[in-house]
mmCIF file of all heavy atoms in Angstrom:
data_model
loop_
_atom_site.group_PDB
_atom_site.id
_atom_site.type_symbol
_atom_site.label_atom_id
_atom_site.label_comp_id
_atom_site.label_asym_id
_atom_site.label_seq_id
_atom_site.Cartn_x
_atom_site.Cartn_y
_atom_site.Cartn_z
ATOM 1 N N GLN I 1 -9.712 -6.803 -0.323
ATOM 2 C CA GLN I 1 -9.746 -5.726 -1.313
ATOM 3 C C GLN I 1 -8.421 -5.617 -2.077
ATOM 4 O O GLN I 1 -8.405 -5.380 -3.286
ATOM 5 C CB GLN I 1 -10.055 -4.390 -0.620
ATOM 6 C CG GLN I 1 -11.369 -4.382 0.139
ATOM 7 C CD GLN I 1 -12.532 -4.786 -0.751
ATOM 8 O OE1 GLN I 1 -12.635 -4.373 -1.903
ATOM 9 N NE2 GLN I 1 -13.428 -5.612 -0.207
ATOM 10 N N ILE I 2 -7.323 -5.809 -1.377
ATOM 11 C CA ILE I 2 -6.007 -5.743 -2.032
ATOM 12 C C ILE I 2 -5.888 -6.826 -3.089
ATOM 13 O O ILE I 2 -5.349 -6.624 -4.178
ATOM 14 C CB ILE I 2 -4.884 -5.873 -0.976
ATOM 15 C CG1 ILE I 2 -4.892 -4.672 -0.033
ATOM 16 C CG2 ILE I 2 -3.525 -6.004 -1.650
ATOM 17 C CD1 ILE I 2 -3.980 -4.828 1.161
ATOM 18 N N GLN I 3 -6.390 -7.987 -2.765
ATOM 19 C CA GLN I 3 -6.298 -9.118 -3.690
ATOM 20 C C GLN I 3 -7.042 -8.842 -4.999
ATOM 21 O O GLN I 3 -6.654 -9.327 -6.057
ATOM 22 C CB GLN I 3 -6.862 -10.375 -3.016
ATOM 23 C CG GLN I 3 -6.582 -11.653 -3.782
ATOM 24 C CD GLN I 3 -7.016 -12.869 -2.978
ATOM 25 O OE1 GLN I 3 -7.604 -12.741 -1.903
ATOM 26 N NE2 GLN I 3 -6.719 -14.052 -3.486
ATOM 27 N N ASN I 4 -8.085 -8.028 -4.925
ATOM 28 C CA ASN I 4 -8.876 -7.725 -6.119
ATOM 29 C C ASN I 4 -8.371 -6.503 -6.890
ATOM 30 O O ASN I 4 -8.902 -6.180 -7.948
ATOM 31 C CB ASN I 4 -10.344 -7.493 -5.724
ATOM 32 C CG ASN I 4 -10.970 -8.736 -5.134
ATOM 33 O OD1 ASN I 4 -10.616 -9.854 -5.506
ATOM 34 N ND2 ASN I 4 -11.900 -8.556 -4.197
ATOM 35 N N SER I 5 -7.366 -5.810 -6.351
ATOM 36 C CA SER I 5 -6.887 -4.584 -7.004
ATOM 37 C C SER I 5 -5.964 -4.937 -8.176
ATOM 38 O O SER I 5 -5.275 -5.959 -8.175
ATOM 39 C CB SER I 5 -6.152 -3.695 -6.004
ATOM 40 O OG SER I 5 -4.996 -4.350 -5.516
ATOM 41 N N GLN I 6 -5.946 -4.060 -9.183
ATOM 42 C CA GLN I 6 -5.134 -4.286 -10.379
ATOM 43 C C GLN I 6 -3.717 -3.744 -10.225
ATOM 44 O O GLN I 6 -2.765 -4.318 -10.757
ATOM 45 C CB GLN I 6 -5.807 -3.618 -11.589
ATOM 46 C CG GLN I 6 -5.091 -3.875 -12.911
ATOM 47 C CD GLN I 6 -5.827 -3.247 -14.083
ATOM 48 O OE1 GLN I 6 -6.893 -2.655 -13.906
ATOM 49 N NE2 GLN I 6 -5.254 -3.370 -15.271
ATOM 50 N N TYR I 7 -3.586 -2.635 -9.480
ATOM 51 C CA TYR I 7 -2.283 -1.985 -9.324
ATOM 52 C C TYR I 7 -1.860 -2.060 -7.867
ATOM 53 O O TYR I 7 -2.687 -1.875 -6.961
ATOM 54 C CB TYR I 7 -2.347 -0.523 -9.772
ATOM 55 C CG TYR I 7 -2.807 -0.361 -11.200
ATOM 56 C CD1 TYR I 7 -4.145 -0.071 -11.493
ATOM 57 C CD2 TYR I 7 -1.931 -0.510 -12.261
ATOM 58 C CE1 TYR I 7 -4.573 0.075 -12.801
ATOM 59 C CE2 TYR I 7 -2.350 -0.372 -13.576
ATOM 60 C CZ TYR I 7 -3.676 -0.078 -13.839
ATOM 61 O OH TYR I 7 -4.096 0.055 -15.136
ATOM 62 N N TRP I 8 -0.578 -2.280 -7.640
ATOM 63 C CA TRP I 8 -0.115 -2.488 -6.278
ATOM 64 C C TRP I 8 -0.264 -1.238 -5.413
ATOM 65 O O TRP I 8 -0.450 -1.315 -4.195
ATOM 66 C CB TRP I 8 1.339 -2.952 -6.273
ATOM 67 C CG TRP I 8 2.351 -1.885 -6.627
ATOM 68 C CD1 TRP I 8 2.864 -1.603 -7.848
ATOM 69 C CD2 TRP I 8 2.980 -0.969 -5.709
ATOM 70 N NE1 TRP I 8 3.753 -0.562 -7.773
ATOM 71 C CE2 TRP I 8 3.852 -0.159 -6.460
ATOM 72 C CE3 TRP I 8 2.884 -0.747 -4.334
ATOM 73 C CZ2 TRP I 8 4.630 0.840 -5.898
ATOM 74 C CZ3 TRP I 8 3.655 0.250 -3.763
ATOM 75 C CH2 TRP I 8 4.519 1.042 -4.536
ATOM 76 N N TYR I 9 -0.202 -0.063 -6.014
ATOM 77 C CA TYR I 9 -0.221 1.183 -5.256
ATOM 78 C C TYR I 9 -1.623 1.782 -5.139
ATOM 79 O O TYR I 9 -1.802 2.823 -4.511
ATOM 80 C CB TYR I 9 0.696 2.211 -5.931
ATOM 81 C CG TYR I 9 0.424 2.378 -7.412
ATOM 82 C CD1 TYR I 9 -0.531 3.261 -7.878
ATOM 83 C CD2 TYR I 9 1.132 1.623 -8.354
ATOM 84 C CE1 TYR I 9 -0.789 3.403 -9.232
ATOM 85 C CE2 TYR I 9 0.884 1.758 -9.713
ATOM 86 C CZ TYR I 9 -0.069 2.648 -10.148
ATOM 87 O OH TYR I 9 -0.317 2.779 -11.488
ATOM 88 N N GLU I 10 -2.631 1.125 -5.708
ATOM 89 C CA GLU I 10 -3.970 1.707 -5.792
ATOM 90 C C GLU I 10 -4.566 1.995 -4.416
ATOM 91 O O GLU I 10 -5.189 3.041 -4.199
ATOM 92 C CB GLU I 10 -4.880 0.762 -6.588
ATOM 93 C CG GLU I 10 -6.276 1.275 -6.788
ATOM 94 C CD GLU I 10 -7.102 0.320 -7.643
ATOM 95 O OE1 GLU I 10 -6.528 -0.676 -8.177
ATOM 96 O OE2 GLU I 10 -8.318 0.552 -7.757
ATOM 97 N N HIS I 11 -4.369 1.100 -3.452
ATOM 98 C CA HIS I 11 -5.007 1.256 -2.134
ATOM 99 C C HIS I 11 -4.012 1.613 -1.033
ATOM 100 O O HIS I 11 -4.414 1.720 0.130
ATOM 101 C CB HIS I 11 -5.737 -0.034 -1.747
ATOM 102 C CG HIS I 11 -6.854 -0.388 -2.685
ATOM 103 N ND1 HIS I 11 -7.770 0.531 -3.120
ATOM 104 C CD2 HIS I 11 -7.189 -1.575 -3.275
ATOM 105 C CE1 HIS I 11 -8.633 -0.052 -3.942
ATOM 106 N NE2 HIS I 11 -8.301 -1.327 -4.053
ATOM 107 N N LEU I 12 -2.750 1.809 -1.383
ATOM 108 C CA LEU I 12 -1.754 2.131 -0.360
ATOM 109 C C LEU I 12 -2.045 3.456 0.342
ATOM 110 O O LEU I 12 -2.036 3.509 1.594
ATOM 111 C CB LEU I 12 -0.358 2.141 -0.982
ATOM 112 C CG LEU I 12 0.781 2.648 -0.083
ATOM 113 C CD1 LEU I 12 0.902 1.784 1.168
ATOM 114 C CD2 LEU I 12 2.106 2.657 -0.847
ATOM 115 N N PRO I 13 -2.313 4.560 -0.363
ATOM 116 C CA PRO I 13 -2.589 5.819 0.352
ATOM 117 C C PRO I 13 -3.797 5.722 1.278
ATOM 118 O O PRO I 13 -3.769 6.270 2.402
ATOM 119 C CB PRO I 13 -2.834 6.822 -0.784
ATOM 120 C CG PRO I 13 -2.098 6.257 -1.953
ATOM 121 C CD PRO I 13 -2.252 4.778 -1.826
ATOM 122 N N GLY I 14 -4.866 5.018 0.843
ATOM 123 C CA GLY I 14 -6.038 4.873 1.700
ATOM 124 C C GLY I 14 -5.727 4.091 2.957
ATOM 125 O O GLY I 14 -6.194 4.432 4.058
ATOM 126 N N HIS I 15 -4.934 3.032 2.824
ATOM 127 C CA HIS I 15 -4.568 2.238 4.002
ATOM 128 C C HIS I 15 -3.731 3.068 4.968
ATOM 129 O O HIS I 15 -3.903 2.988 6.200
ATOM 130 C CB HIS I 15 -3.799 0.991 3.554
ATOM 131 C CG HIS I 15 -3.551 0.021 4.658
ATOM 132 N ND1 HIS I 15 -2.374 0.010 5.386
ATOM 133 C CD2 HIS I 15 -4.328 -0.971 5.191
ATOM 134 C CE1 HIS I 15 -2.425 -0.945 6.292
ATOM 135 N NE2 HIS I 15 -3.604 -1.558 6.198
ATOM 136 N N LEU I 16 -2.814 3.901 4.417
ATOM 137 C CA LEU I 16 -2.016 4.777 5.281
ATOM 138 C C LEU I 16 -2.904 5.790 5.995
ATOM 139 O O LEU I 16 -2.652 6.150 7.153
ATOM 140 C CB LEU I 16 -0.959 5.515 4.440
ATOM 141 C CG LEU I 16 0.232 4.696 3.953
ATOM 142 C CD1 LEU I 16 1.115 5.536 3.043
ATOM 143 C CD2 LEU I 16 1.053 4.183 5.132
ATOM 144 N N PHE I 17 -3.925 6.254 5.330
ATOM 145 C CA PHE I 17 -4.826 7.248 5.913
ATOM 146 C C PHE I 17 -5.481 6.714 7.183
ATOM 147 O O PHE I 17 -5.734 7.474 8.128
ATOM 148 C CB PHE I 17 -5.881 7.633 4.870
ATOM 149 C CG PHE I 17 -6.870 8.643 5.351
ATOM 150 C CD1 PHE I 17 -6.488 9.934 5.679
ATOM 151 C CD2 PHE I 17 -8.215 8.300 5.473
ATOM 152 C CE1 PHE I 17 -7.419 10.866 6.111
ATOM 153 C CE2 PHE I 17 -9.150 9.228 5.909
ATOM 154 C CZ PHE I 17 -8.751 10.517 6.229
ATOM 155 N N TYR I 18 -5.745 5.394 7.230
ATOM 156 C CA TYR I 18 -6.420 4.809 8.386
ATOM 157 C C TYR I 18 -5.467 4.170 9.379
ATOM 158 O O TYR I 18 -5.867 3.881 10.514
ATOM 159 C CB TYR I 18 -7.435 3.767 7.928
ATOM 160 C CG TYR I 18 -8.506 4.336 7.028
ATOM 161 C CD1 TYR I 18 -8.630 3.921 5.710
ATOM 162 C CD2 TYR I 18 -9.383 5.310 7.491
ATOM 163 C CE1 TYR I 18 -9.605 4.443 4.875
ATOM 164 C CE2 TYR I 18 -10.361 5.845 6.663
ATOM 165 C CZ TYR I 18 -10.458 5.411 5.356
ATOM 166 O OH TYR I 18 -11.422 5.949 4.540
ATOM 167 N N THR I 19 -4.245 3.911 8.978
ATOM 168 C CA THR I 19 -3.318 3.208 9.873
ATOM 169 C C THR I 19 -2.095 4.040 10.257
ATOM 170 O O THR I 19 -1.552 3.871 11.345
ATOM 171 C CB THR I 19 -2.831 1.902 9.219
ATOM 172 O OG1 THR I 19 -2.189 2.209 7.966
ATOM 173 C CG2 THR I 19 -3.993 0.955 8.971
ATOM 174 N N ASN I 20 -1.641 4.914 9.364
ATOM 175 C CA ASN I 20 -0.448 5.728 9.642
ATOM 176 C C ASN I 20 -0.583 7.083 8.950
ATOM 177 O O ASN I 20 0.181 7.419 8.053
ATOM 178 C CB ASN I 20 0.810 5.000 9.157
ATOM 179 C CG ASN I 20 2.096 5.668 9.614
ATOM 180 O OD1 ASN I 20 2.072 6.641 10.375
ATOM 181 N ND2 ASN I 20 3.222 5.163 9.149
ATOM 182 N N PRO I 21 -1.570 7.892 9.344
ATOM 183 C CA PRO I 21 -1.836 9.148 8.634
ATOM 184 C C PRO I 21 -0.722 10.177 8.753
ATOM 185 O O PRO I 21 -0.679 11.123 7.967
ATOM 186 C CB PRO I 21 -3.127 9.657 9.284
ATOM 187 C CG PRO I 21 -3.180 8.998 10.611
ATOM 188 C CD PRO I 21 -2.524 7.663 10.444
ATOM 189 N N ALA I 22 0.182 10.031 9.706
ATOM 190 C CA ALA I 22 1.295 10.968 9.860
ATOM 191 C C ALA I 22 2.564 10.449 9.193
ATOM 192 O O ALA I 22 3.672 10.910 9.502
ATOM 193 C CB ALA I 22 1.553 11.236 11.338
ATOM 194 N N CYS I 23 2.428 9.509 8.261
ATOM 195 C CA CYS I 23 3.587 8.938 7.553
ATOM 196 C C CYS I 23 4.345 10.038 6.807
ATOM 197 O O CYS I 23 3.748 10.874 6.122
ATOM 198 C CB CYS I 23 3.102 7.867 6.579
ATOM 199 S SG CYS I 23 4.386 7.235 5.478
ATOM 200 N N THR I 24 5.657 10.041 6.917
ATOM 201 C CA THR I 24 6.487 11.057 6.265
ATOM 202 C C THR I 24 7.121 10.497 4.995
ATOM 203 O O THR I 24 7.106 9.283 4.737
ATOM 204 C CB THR I 24 7.598 11.544 7.200
ATOM 205 O OG1 THR I 24 8.481 10.450 7.494
ATOM 206 C CG2 THR I 24 7.015 12.107 8.494
ATOM 207 N N HIS I 25 7.693 11.398 4.256
ATOM 208 C CA HIS I 25 8.370 11.042 3.010
ATOM 209 C C HIS I 25 9.471 10.020 3.260
ATOM 210 O O HIS I 25 9.692 9.104 2.462
ATOM 211 C CB HIS I 25 8.942 12.324 2.382
ATOM 212 C CG HIS I 25 9.560 12.124 1.039
ATOM 213 N ND1 HIS I 25 10.191 13.125 0.344
ATOM 214 C CD2 HIS I 25 9.656 11.027 0.251
ATOM 215 C CE1 HIS I 25 10.621 12.656 -0.808
ATOM 216 N NE2 HIS I 25 10.329 11.394 -0.885
ATOM 217 N N PHE I 26 10.180 10.158 4.361
ATOM 218 C CA PHE I 26 11.329 9.294 4.643
ATOM 219 C C PHE I 26 10.907 7.879 5.028
ATOM 220 O O PHE I 26 11.666 6.929 4.864
ATOM 221 C CB PHE I 26 12.173 9.915 5.765
ATOM 222 C CG PHE I 26 12.473 11.366 5.537
ATOM 223 C CD1 PHE I 26 11.861 12.349 6.302
ATOM 224 C CD2 PHE I 26 13.353 11.750 4.530
ATOM 225 C CE1 PHE I 26 12.126 13.692 6.080
ATOM 226 C CE2 PHE I 26 13.620 13.095 4.303
ATOM 227 C CZ PHE I 26 13.008 14.069 5.075
ATOM 228 N N GLU I 27 9.690 7.718 5.553
ATOM 229 C CA GLU I 27 9.189 6.395 5.922
ATOM 230 C C GLU I 27 8.537 5.679 4.744
ATOM 231 O O GLU I 27 8.320 4.470 4.794
ATOM 232 C CB GLU I 27 8.149 6.516 7.046
ATOM 233 C CG GLU I 27 8.652 7.180 8.316
ATOM 234 C CD GLU I 27 7.528 7.425 9.295
ATOM 235 O OE1 GLU I 27 6.630 8.238 8.984
ATOM 236 O OE2 GLU I 27 7.532 6.786 10.365
ATOM 237 N N LEU I 28 8.212 6.412 3.715
ATOM 238 C CA LEU I 28 7.373 5.882 2.651
ATOM 239 C C LEU I 28 8.030 4.725 1.904
ATOM 240 O O LEU I 28 7.349 3.772 1.505
ATOM 241 C CB LEU I 28 7.017 7.008 1.670
ATOM 242 C CG LEU I 28 5.992 6.674 0.597
ATOM 243 C CD1 LEU I 28 4.675 6.240 1.229
ATOM 244 C CD2 LEU I 28 5.766 7.878 -0.321
ATOM 245 N N GLY I 29 9.351 4.774 1.714
ATOM 246 C CA GLY I 29 10.034 3.723 0.948
ATOM 247 C C GLY I 29 9.876 2.352 1.577
ATOM 248 O O GLY I 29 9.506 1.378 0.905
ATOM 249 N N ALA I 30 10.143 2.257 2.875
ATOM 250 C CA ALA I 30 10.018 0.971 3.573
ATOM 251 C C ALA I 30 8.569 0.498 3.592
ATOM 252 O O ALA I 30 8.283 -0.694 3.401
ATOM 253 C CB ALA I 30 10.564 1.102 4.996
ATOM 254 N N ILE I 31 7.648 1.433 3.814
ATOM 255 C CA ILE I 31 6.228 1.071 3.839
ATOM 256 C C ILE I 31 5.779 0.572 2.470
ATOM 257 O O ILE I 31 5.026 -0.407 2.358
ATOM 258 C CB ILE I 31 5.386 2.280 4.289
ATOM 259 C CG1 ILE I 31 5.687 2.621 5.756
ATOM 260 C CG2 ILE I 31 3.906 2.022 4.093
ATOM 261 C CD1 ILE I 31 5.043 3.899 6.237
ATOM 262 N N ALA I 32 6.223 1.239 1.403
ATOM 263 C CA ALA I 32 5.827 0.845 0.049
ATOM 264 C C ALA I 32 6.328 -0.559 -0.285
ATOM 265 O O ALA I 32 5.609 -1.367 -0.892
ATOM 266 C CB ALA I 32 6.365 1.854 -0.964
ATOM 267 N N ASN I 33 7.581 -0.881 0.099
ATOM 268 C CA ASN I 33 8.111 -2.221 -0.181
ATOM 269 C C ASN I 33 7.365 -3.296 0.593
ATOM 270 O O ASN I 33 7.075 -4.380 0.053
ATOM 271 C CB ASN I 33 9.609 -2.267 0.157
ATOM 272 C CG ASN I 33 10.473 -1.716 -0.970
ATOM 273 O OD1 ASN I 33 10.681 -2.379 -1.989
ATOM 274 N ND2 ASN I 33 10.969 -0.510 -0.787
ATOM 275 N N ALA I 34 7.032 -3.004 1.844
ATOM 276 C CA ALA I 34 6.268 -3.971 2.640
ATOM 277 C C ALA I 34 4.876 -4.174 2.041
ATOM 278 O O ALA I 34 4.369 -5.308 1.969
ATOM 279 C CB ALA I 34 6.173 -3.483 4.088
ATOM 280 N N TRP I 35 4.267 -3.090 1.594
ATOM 281 C CA TRP I 35 2.939 -3.178 0.982
ATOM 282 C C TRP I 35 2.998 -3.967 -0.323
ATOM 283 O O TRP I 35 2.105 -4.765 -0.622
ATOM 284 C CB TRP I 35 2.411 -1.768 0.740
ATOM 285 C CG TRP I 35 1.050 -1.720 0.108
ATOM 286 C CD1 TRP I 35 0.768 -1.641 -1.218
ATOM 287 C CD2 TRP I 35 -0.206 -1.783 0.777
ATOM 288 N NE1 TRP I 35 -0.579 -1.633 -1.433
ATOM 289 C CE2 TRP I 35 -1.212 -1.713 -0.219
ATOM 290 C CE3 TRP I 35 -0.594 -1.875 2.109
ATOM 291 C CZ2 TRP I 35 -2.563 -1.736 0.082
ATOM 292 C CZ3 TRP I 35 -1.942 -1.898 2.411
ATOM 293 C CH2 TRP I 35 -2.910 -1.837 1.406
ATOM 294 N N LEU I 36 4.051 -3.756 -1.115
ATOM 295 C CA LEU I 36 4.197 -4.475 -2.379
ATOM 296 C C LEU I 36 4.337 -5.974 -2.148
ATOM 297 O O LEU I 36 3.736 -6.794 -2.865
ATOM 298 C CB LEU I 36 5.415 -3.932 -3.137
ATOM 299 C CG LEU I 36 5.758 -4.620 -4.462
ATOM 300 C CD1 LEU I 36 4.596 -4.532 -5.442
ATOM 301 C CD2 LEU I 36 7.017 -3.995 -5.071
ATOM 302 N N GLU I 37 5.113 -6.344 -1.146
ATOM 303 C CA GLU I 37 5.260 -7.771 -0.828
ATOM 304 C C GLU I 37 3.924 -8.365 -0.382
ATOM 305 O O GLU I 37 3.587 -9.500 -0.748
ATOM 306 C CB GLU I 37 6.318 -7.938 0.268
ATOM 307 C CG GLU I 37 7.727 -7.616 -0.202
ATOM 308 C CD GLU I 37 8.747 -7.774 0.911
ATOM 309 O OE1 GLU I 37 8.337 -8.185 2.027
ATOM 310 O OE2 GLU I 37 9.929 -7.471 0.680
ATOM 311 N N ARG I 38 3.182 -7.599 0.386
ATOM 312 C CA ARG I 38 1.861 -8.055 0.843
ATOM 313 C C ARG I 38 0.929 -8.248 -0.355
ATOM 314 O O ARG I 38 0.225 -9.260 -0.456
ATOM 315 C CB ARG I 38 1.292 -7.032 1.819
ATOM 316 C CG ARG I 38 -0.103 -7.341 2.351
ATOM 317 C CD ARG I 38 -0.528 -6.240 3.322
ATOM 318 N NE ARG I 38 -1.902 -6.409 3.791
ATOM 319 C CZ ARG I 38 -2.516 -5.561 4.611
ATOM 320 N NH1 ARG I 38 -1.862 -4.502 5.076
ATOM 321 N NH2 ARG I 38 -3.771 -5.773 4.992
ATOM 322 N N TRP I 39 0.939 -7.288 -1.271
ATOM 323 C CA TRP I 39 0.083 -7.358 -2.468
ATOM 324 C C TRP I 39 0.461 -8.554 -3.342
ATOM 325 O O TRP I 39 -0.402 -9.284 -3.834
ATOM 326 C CB TRP I 39 0.223 -6.047 -3.235
ATOM 327 C CG TRP I 39 -0.581 -5.955 -4.495
ATOM 328 C CD1 TRP I 39 -1.919 -5.760 -4.603
ATOM 329 C CD2 TRP I 39 -0.092 -6.041 -5.837
ATOM 330 N NE1 TRP I 39 -2.309 -5.714 -5.910
ATOM 331 C CE2 TRP I 39 -1.197 -5.888 -6.707
ATOM 332 C CE3 TRP I 39 1.170 -6.225 -6.400
ATOM 333 C CZ2 TRP I 39 -1.080 -5.911 -8.088
ATOM 334 C CZ3 TRP I 39 1.299 -6.248 -7.782
ATOM 335 C CH2 TRP I 39 0.181 -6.099 -8.608
ATOM 336 N N ALA I 40 1.767 -8.782 -3.532
ATOM 337 C CA ALA I 40 2.227 -9.886 -4.373
ATOM 338 C C ALA I 40 1.895 -11.236 -3.750
ATOM 339 O O ALA I 40 1.499 -12.180 -4.448
ATOM 340 C CB ALA I 40 3.732 -9.764 -4.609
ATOM 341 N N SER I 41 2.049 -11.339 -2.431
ATOM 342 C CA SER I 41 1.751 -12.618 -1.770
ATOM 343 C C SER I 41 0.261 -12.938 -1.849
ATOM 344 O O SER I 41 -0.131 -14.104 -2.023
ATOM 345 C CB SER I 41 2.210 -12.574 -0.318
ATOM 346 O OG SER I 41 1.478 -11.589 0.403
ATOM 347 N N LEU I 42 -0.593 -11.934 -1.714
ATOM 348 C CA LEU I 42 -2.038 -12.160 -1.809
ATOM 349 C C LEU I 42 -2.444 -12.581 -3.216
ATOM 350 O O LEU I 42 -3.439 -13.281 -3.407
ATOM 351 C CB LEU I 42 -2.804 -10.898 -1.402
ATOM 352 C CG LEU I 42 -2.734 -10.537 0.094
ATOM 353 C CD1 LEU I 42 -3.325 -9.162 0.344
ATOM 354 C CD2 LEU I 42 -3.470 -11.591 0.920
ATOM 355 N N LYS I 43 -1.675 -12.147 -4.211
ATOM 356 C CA LYS I 43 -1.957 -12.539 -5.588
ATOM 357 C C LYS I 43 -1.197 -13.808 -5.992
ATOM 358 O O LYS I 43 -1.222 -14.213 -7.153
ATOM 359 C CB LYS I 43 -1.588 -11.397 -6.544
ATOM 360 C CG LYS I 43 -2.620 -10.267 -6.529
ATOM 361 C CD LYS I 43 -2.309 -9.228 -7.591
ATOM 362 C CE LYS I 43 -3.486 -8.274 -7.781
ATOM 363 N NZ LYS I 43 -4.647 -8.901 -8.402
#
């Protein structure tokens, strides 16, 4: 699904909802960068 998405952040909140629903503001930066690298590599 990530590979078919147009925007890198489109599915990030949904993935957090199922994998890390208690994610805080302070953790979000590292998670977002890891997700972006994952999205770019899949594309």
Side-chain angles (χ1 to χ4, degrees):
Q1 302 305 318
I2 294 170
Q3 191 173 5
N4 297 328
S5 63
Q6 184 178 358
Y7 303 97
W8 73 267
Y9 51 87
E10 182 177 353
H11 297 314
L12 172 60
H15 188 265
L16 286 175
F17 180 65
Y18 300 116
T19 58
N20 190 5
C23 172
T24 64
H25 185 184
F26 311 108
E27 301 172 294
L28 188 59
I31 293 173
N33 277 284
W35 180 267
L36 177 59
E37 291 179 3
R38 178 179 175 182
W39 180 75
S41 64
L42 290 171
K43 284 186 168 291

